[in-house]
Amino acid sequence: MTAAGTLTRTGRGSRLVGLGALLLLAAVAVLLSLGLGAQALHPAEVWQALVHPDGSDATAVVRELRGPRTVLGVLVGLALGAAGALMQGHTRNPIADPGLLGVSAGASLAVVLAISIFKINDFHGYVWFAFAGALVASVLVFSLGAAGAGGPTPVTLALAGMALSALFASFTSSILINDPDTLSVFRFWVVGSLAGRDYATAWAVLPFIVAGLIVAAINAPALNALGLGEDVARALGQNIVVARTLGVTAIVLLAGAATAAVGPLAFAGLIVPHIARVLTGPDHRWLVPFAALLGVSLVLIADVAGRLIASPAELQTGIVLAFVGAPFFIWLVRRIRMVRL
Amino acid sequence: MSSPLLVLPGRRVLRAGPVSAAIPLRTVAVTLLALAATVAAGVVAVGHGDFPISPETVWQVVTGGGTRIERHILLNLRLPRVLCGLLAGAALAVAGALTQTFARNPLASPDVLGVTYGASVGAVAAIVLGVGLIPIAALAGALLSAAAIYLLAWRQGIDGYRLVLIGLGAGQLLAGITSWLLLRADVADVSRASIWLSGSLAGRDWSHVRPLAVALVVLLPAAVAVSIALRVLQFGDDTARGLGLRLQGAQLAVVVVAAALAAAAVAAAGPIEFVAFVVPQIALRLCGGSRPPLVASAVLGAFLVVGCDLLARIVVAPEELPVGLLTAMVGTPYLLWLLLRRSRRISG
């Protein structure tokens, strides 16, 4: 462990600077999210509205319209970034996204049921359905993936996740194919968007995201040992089953809460860890916080871009992430030699 | 390898003078059993429907007999549908086996080559804009996006890892375009598009079967040929190069064959979910070995799709479901059972 210690010490200074820069970037993204939209506000006006709220239009826009989605963007960005880093760390698979453990598919099925059976028609009404669906699905995935002789290995977890996700997706489709009314509502949830959410949604998911981030922070150091292979990790004193269970708990809390709040935006959790890994290398003690902060910037900037591109209408956050995030990711993969898992 | 006592576990070694070959007995047995099951499912499938036809009559019609109405129903309505499923299932499964071995990733499917996402953009655009010609639009979308991904991943050669990541990004972009098209379409078009997106064999006729059959006749032998290179490629790019493989040529061949197989299947039958991903994994666990077997995957893929299409016509009769919904419902429990029964670590 001496070699690892030395390596970390030499890199610590520059990594702290990097963390500071990412914090700054996230703060700028928050300001942009509060200031930009159909009506652009000067940063001074934003500050005024935050610190000394008055009855002006600016105060109403900042606090009532852009406030909730900004808070949600911060929470969801943190959650998806951290969950993505953990997911790829545990599976050691670069194409694993945080929705893989059944979270996205389970939440989608639950929301479809909420629309078609309970006739629920507003985004806040979906939160608990989506969260429950995500939890049930991922508990199923984990119990099946862990039930084999080898315990919860990354490959069995990932395969069980893919398989059950496809199963849930086919139930979802079979409902939607015979129910166009539900489909016409559901298609706006399933792209993922921060628009039209209120503070109540943010408060509902806040405890789960905070708990998830704490578990993620506890779990991150273990991933460095697990990355050497399970046998080496065991020899280094890691309890593999505990580490895997903590990791899955964190991923499910974070990705489940994020999906419940804004719909499936798992793509953010897929690309952010790759970008963060370029900055930090494979050390998960740094990778997880870097990915979380980058997630905030990415989600907020995508949301702001969606407001500006189609102004005065809006383009959904998930669509912007695909249209802007994907080309950026491709550019990045071409430019920089990606750090392998 | 000159030892006369060479024993390969699970294989019979055949010798004829200086030539010898190892026959993987288990793979052969699985393949033959699956073939028998596929033929049986096919015969039942062409016989089943509002106008039931017995297996003997099916045989008479195929050999040139039968009444006019039997010939019409069998040859013009049911046989094309079953053949389309059979060929599409085989093509998707082989494409999946090639991609998973090439990417050394059990989660990979032709999706990472952009084929399904590109085909979906083409087909949904054709439906939403009212152009028609859905198979051609899907084929064009699939091939264009696969080519674009390959070119984008090219940087003094192709690196498998980079190709997978770029395919992932491009797939998300294409999926975003599909969602964007669906958000703007009217509900009737969205319903039609979602049936196509599930993968359906309803209303398939000889015009769908013929191009697919031609594609398979060319591409299946090609797949077996490129899989010889894959045997070396699975050790990693550097080792493969060290063992004398022309890496770029081999990778290009694998990607072209896999993408073309998947594109032909998706153009004819839509992106039948799960076949390309699950069948190679099932075949691998049934046959053993270090990578998904190609021929066994092809036969199992054909069986899964034909069997599921038969089920899709039975469970909600007289209505029917898109076959793609059933492949996941049937394939998942089976894959999970295999995972649980023998949890061997297979890193793809």
Side-chain angles (χ1 to χ4, degrees):
Chain A
M1 294 302 274
T2 335
T6 325
L7 269 180
T8 317
R9 224 169 289 126
T10 48
R12 178 164 290 164
S14 59
R15 281 168 176 168
L16 278 175
V17 173
L19 208 57
L22 284 185
L23 212 56
L24 199 66
L25 182 65
V28 171
V30 167
L31 267 187
L32 289 178
S33 170
L34 291 172
L36 294 182
Q39 182 195 355
L41 298 172
H42 193 271
E45 288 178 284
V46 173
W47 186 252
Q48 178 75 19
L50 287 178
V51 184
H52 307 290
D54 49 32
S56 67
D57 283 353
T59 303
V61 167
V62 168
R63 296 182 74 98
E64 302 308 321
L65 296 178
R66 296 184 193 156
R69 60 199 293 175
T70 307
V71 173
L72 264 177
V74 172
L75 289 175
V76 166
L78 284 171
L80 290 176
L86 288 184
M87 189 73 204
Q88 293 176 2
H90 273 286
T91 55
R92 280 196 278 161
N93 197 319
I95 61 176
D97 73 59
L100 179 67
L101 293 177
V103 168
S104 299
S108 296
L109 179 57
V111 168
V112 165
L113 291 175
I115 300 170
S116 75
I117 297 176
F118 299 98
K119 307 291 174 209
I120 295 173
N121 216 339
D122 71 300
F123 288 122
H124 186 61
Y126 303 145
V127 169
W128 295 113
F129 279 96
F131 196 56
L135 280 188
V136 169
S138 42
V139 167
L140 265 177
V141 167
F142 187 74
S143 356
L144 286 168
T153 71
V155 174
T156 50
L157 278 181
L159 285 177
M162 289 269 294
L164 279 177
S165 293
L167 184 65
F168 289 131
S170 60
F171 285 125
T172 306
S173 306
S174 16
I175 299 174
L176 290 177
I177 274 174
N178 297 312
D179 190 349
D181 296 339
T182 301
L183 178 60
S184 68
V185 179
F186 177 70
R187 61 184 167 153
F188 288 96
W189 181 82
V190 78
V191 290
S193 168
L194 300 181
R197 267 67 174 182
D198 49 24
Y199 283 117
T201 306
W203 301 144
V205 296
L206 177 69
F208 301 104
I209 291 182
V210 170
L213 288 173
I214 293 171
V215 181
I218 296 169
N219 188 232
L223 279 172
N224 288 346
L226 284 173
L228 300 171
E230 295 205 341
D231 294 336
V232 178
R234 204 173 283 118
L236 288 172
Q238 282 296 333
N239 186 326
I240 309 280
V241 176
V242 169
R244 295 267 185 246
T245 312
L246 279 181
V248 171
T249 311
I251 292 166
V252 169
L253 284 174
L254 292 169
T259 309
V262 301
L265 278 183
F267 184 49
L270 182 79
I271 59 173
V272 160
H274 288 286
I275 306 172
R277 217 173 279 117
V278 174
L279 301 173
T280 65
D283 185 345
H284 283 85
R285 292 170 299 176
W286 293 95
L287 179 60
V288 172
F290 268 61
L293 283 177
L294 265 174
V296 173
S297 311
L298 183 72
V299 169
L300 285 179
I301 290 171
D303 184 46
V304 172
R307 283 180 242 165
L308 297 181
I309 294 170
S311 173
E314 287 204 16
L315 208 53
Q316 285 76 6
T317 319
I319 299 225
V320 178
L321 266 181
F323 283 4
V324 183
F328 172 69
F329 181 63
I330 292 173
W331 173 82
L332 191 81
V333 173
R334 276 181 59 77
R335 279 300 299 271
I336 298 169
R337 190 169 170 79
M338 300 307 279
V339 181
R340 291 180 187 237
L341 281 160
Chain B
M1 293 287 164
S2 58
S3 161
L5 291 174
L6 174 68
V7 175
L8 295 170
R11 281 157 197 244
R12 167 133 320 158
V13 180
L14 291 185
R15 292 177 198 287
V19 183
S20 68
I23 310 288
L25 290 179
R26 186 159 154 181
T27 306
V28 171
V30 168
T31 310
L32 288 178
L33 276 177
L35 198 61
T38 310
V39 172
V43 171
V44 176
V46 290
H48 177 81
D50 292 337
F51 185 92
I53 300 177
S54 70
E56 298 92 63
T57 323
V58 171
W59 178 249
Q60 282 167 14
V61 171
V62 172
T63 50
T67 62
R68 252 189 74 208
I69 184 136
E70 284 167 351
R71 291 187 66 78
H72 171 70
I73 288 179
L74 210 63
L75 297 181
N76 293 340
L77 299 179
R78 292 194 190 148
L79 198 57
R81 176 178 186 147
V82 169
L83 280 180
C84 190
L86 198 102
L87 298 174
L92 284 172
V94 172
L98 287 178
T99 323
Q100 288 178 357
T101 319
F102 165 74
R104 294 188 284 275
N105 193 324
L107 302 190
S109 66
D111 290 359
V112 302
L113 303 177
V115 174
T116 16
Y117 294 118
S120 302
V121 170
V124 171
I127 291 171
V128 169
L129 305 175
V131 197
L133 301 173
I134 297 169
I136 294 171
L139 187 70
L143 294 178
L144 279 178
S145 36
I149 287 170
Y150 189 83
L151 291 178
L152 280 171
W154 180 274
R155 218 176 140 228
Q156 296 148 8
I158 285 291
D159 169 82
Y161 193 81
R162 190 167 57 232
L163 181 69
V164 167
L165 289 186
I166 289 199
L168 198 66
Q172 290 295 326
L173 176 62
L174 294 165
I177 297 175
T178 307
S179 318
W180 183 74
L181 285 169
L182 287 177
L183 286 185
R184 264 140 203 82
D186 68 64
V187 173
D189 283 342
V190 175
S191 290
R192 279 181 63 208
S194 66
I195 289 175
W196 189 90
L197 287 171
S198 308
S200 168
L201 293 173
R204 296 302 186 265
D205 55 35
W206 288 106
S207 72
H208 295 89
V209 175
R210 263 184 234 109
L212 183 55
V214 171
L216 263 115
V217 166
V218 178
L219 291 170
L220 277 185
V224 173
V226 298
S227 80
I228 294 166
L230 277 180
R231 234 169 19 187
V232 183
L233 210 55
Q234 64 176 330
F235 295 123
D237 291 353
D238 294 336
T239 312
R241 208 182 278 121
L243 288 170
L245 185 73
R246 283 191 197 171
L247 195 63
Q248 297 308 330
Q251 285 176 332
L252 178 63
V254 173
V255 170
V256 166
V257 173
L261 275 170
V266 174
I272 302 178
E273 213 188 340
F274 214 53
V275 178
F277 156 65
V278 80
V279 169
Q281 291 297 314
I282 289 178
L284 174 65
R285 280 164 177 78
L286 286 177
C287 298
S290 61
R291 66 206 163 94
L294 282 189
V295 180
S297 296
V299 180
L300 283 168
F303 174 65
L304 180 65
V305 172
V306 171
C308 285
D309 191 44
L310 179 61
L311 272 183
R313 288 193 287 146
I314 293 173
V315 280
V316 289
E319 300 284 309
E320 58 178 68
L321 285 171
V323 60
L325 300 182
L326 272 262
T327 47
M329 290 185 198
V330 173
T332 308
Y334 191 59
L335 176 71
L336 290 175
W337 180 72
L338 283 174
L339 277 178
L340 289 184
R341 195 181 55 127
R342 193 157 48 93
S343 183
R344 272 185 19 190
R345 206 173 308 163
I346 294 169
S347 51

